[in-house]
Amino acid sequence: RLHTLGNTVHILSRVGNDARGIKSLKSIEAFGMSTSLVQIDQEHPTGQANYNGRWEIAQNVAYDYIAESDVITPILPHLGALCFGSLAQRSPQVKRTLQGIFSRLPPTCLSVFDVNLRPQCYDDDTLLSSLRLSDVVKVNYEPDAETELQYLQQMCLGARQLQTVPEICSALMAHPEFARVKVFVVTMGASGAYACRRCGTALESAMVPGVSVQVADTVGSGDAFTAGFLDSYIRGESLLECLLKGNTMGALVATQIGATEPILPEQITALLDTQRRALSAIQ
């Protein structure tokens, strides 16, 4: 989705030497992106995940063995942002690879941690070590559910009685484990999204309502939101604009079956303008 928004994107992953792996490589190329950082594993199959009310994610697959490579080295000095998650870090090999990459990133590179709490694919140590590397952290939230924000709240703050998303975010941003984090983003599904960022010793914040669309499939909406938010953020736009573009991308993906169907620039512009008008009417 970052590529759709006009950014140069490098995908670091690993696929098996099998039919799913070949299909994945062709799909990446069809979007006009390079596969130079996608490694081919001769021993392990391409990863796969199925969602039927709950995630079923295959174990011991190719992306569990992503390794450092000489091909990565020339790209690192030019990276404006590095997006990473918690799922692939279930593997010790990937953790080592990621640590090696972080040790060679330029200081200007923004590190973006998209938290994904999938069964048997994370632990507290991985989450905490990732927070310590992160400039931007994105989580999801639903009231009365065990979502990512509530999990971080319990892990870092214990039994503190905090009710609202802004209260929880403010308390987490004051926690030592969040000392490096500059921006904290929370998606709230149909309720919209919230973000806060450090401004000296204070926090600047913004919140936007959800977007009303005909939902076909929510898989991929979170990743699309992250892409939209990050695209605006690296262009120096306001938190409000970052949230609006994130909302736009997430909503458009939710109207499609599948996570990677094309989105046209005019669709993005139209829905973004609709959100801006709706927000102006409220204000």
Side-chain angles (χ1 to χ4, degrees):
R1 299 305 180 184
L2 279 166
H3 176 77
T4 299
L5 293 167
N7 301 281
T8 300
V9 176
H10 303 279
I11 299 175
L12 175 59
S13 190
R14 191 175 179 100
V15 299
N17 188 14
D18 52 32
R20 285 197 306 274
I22 293 169
K23 183 179 179 181
S24 298
L25 293 171
K26 288 182 177 178
S27 295
I28 294 170
E29 291 170 345
F31 281 111
M33 293 185 290
S34 170
T35 59
S36 63
L37 299 189
V38 182
Q39 303 165 8
I40 298 177
D41 193 305
Q42 302 298 330
E43 299 180 20
H44 303 93
T46 301
Q48 60 177 327
N50 297 305
Y51 184 75
N52 188 18
R54 65 185 301 275
W55 285 101
E56 296 178 358
I57 301 174
Q59 302 279 337
N60 198 35
V61 294
Y63 70 71
D64 290 317
Y65 298 90
I66 298 171
E68 284 215 63
S69 163
D70 290 341
V71 181
I72 300 172
T73 302
I75 293 172
L76 295 180
H78 308 288
L79 286 183
L82 173 67
C83 302
F84 70 106
S86 48
L87 195 154
Q89 292 186 77
R90 67 185 183 180
S91 154
Q93 169 66 57
V94 176
K95 286 182 183 179
R96 289 192 296 271
T97 299
L98 191 59
Q99 288 166 1
I101 290 172
F102 267 103
S103 70
R104 295 184 287 143
L105 286 178
T108 54
C109 181
L110 195 71
S111 56
V112 182
F113 178 33
D114 194 346
V115 180
N116 290 289
L117 302 185
R118 304 291 184 245
Q120 301 179 334
C121 294
Y122 68 94
D123 56 51
D124 288 358
D125 286 343
T126 298
L127 295 177
L128 291 172
S129 63
S130 296
L131 289 173
R132 296 175 198 134
L133 295 170
S134 301
D135 298 308
V136 179
V137 175
K138 178 252 178 185
V139 299
N140 65 8
Y141 169 81
E142 292 178 23
D144 305 317
E146 179 67 11
T147 49
E148 293 153 4
L149 182 63
Q150 289 97 321
Y151 191 91
L152 292 185
Q153 177 186 5
Q154 180 63 35
M155 182 178 69
C156 294
L157 304 174
R160 286 183 60 180
Q161 296 299 309
L162 301 167
Q163 300 300 322
T164 68
V165 168
E167 285 177 335
I168 298 169
C169 291
S170 180
L172 285 171
M173 288 290 274
H175 192 276
E177 297 293 355
F178 277 71
R180 172 170 169 158
V181 178
K182 299 180 179 69
V183 184
F184 195 20
V185 187
V186 184
T187 58
M188 302 181 292
S191 298
Y194 171 85
C196 61
R197 68 176 166 189
R198 300 189 193 279
C199 292
T201 58
L203 288 178
E204 174 196 0
S205 64
M207 184 180 290
V208 295
V211 182
S212 179
V213 294
Q214 187 68 42
V215 175
D217 182 3
T218 60
V219 174
S221 290
D223 291 337
F225 177 97
T226 302
F229 185 95
L230 179 57
D231 178 71
S232 285
Y233 186 79
I234 60 181
R235 296 176 194 277
E237 297 178 6
S238 68
L239 270 188
L240 185 65
E241 280 295 318
C242 294
L243 289 172
L244 289 173
K245 188 176 284 185
N247 253 7
T248 295
M249 296 298 291
L252 287 172
V253 168
T255 65
Q256 304 173 333
I257 299 295
T260 58
E261 289 299 307
I263 294 175
L264 300 176
E266 50 266 36
Q267 291 177 286
I268 299 169
T269 300
L271 187 53
L272 195 51
D273 287 343
T274 298
Q275 283 192 88
R276 290 183 183 127
R277 287 194 298 270
L279 202 59
S280 296
I282 294 172
Q283 295 172 341

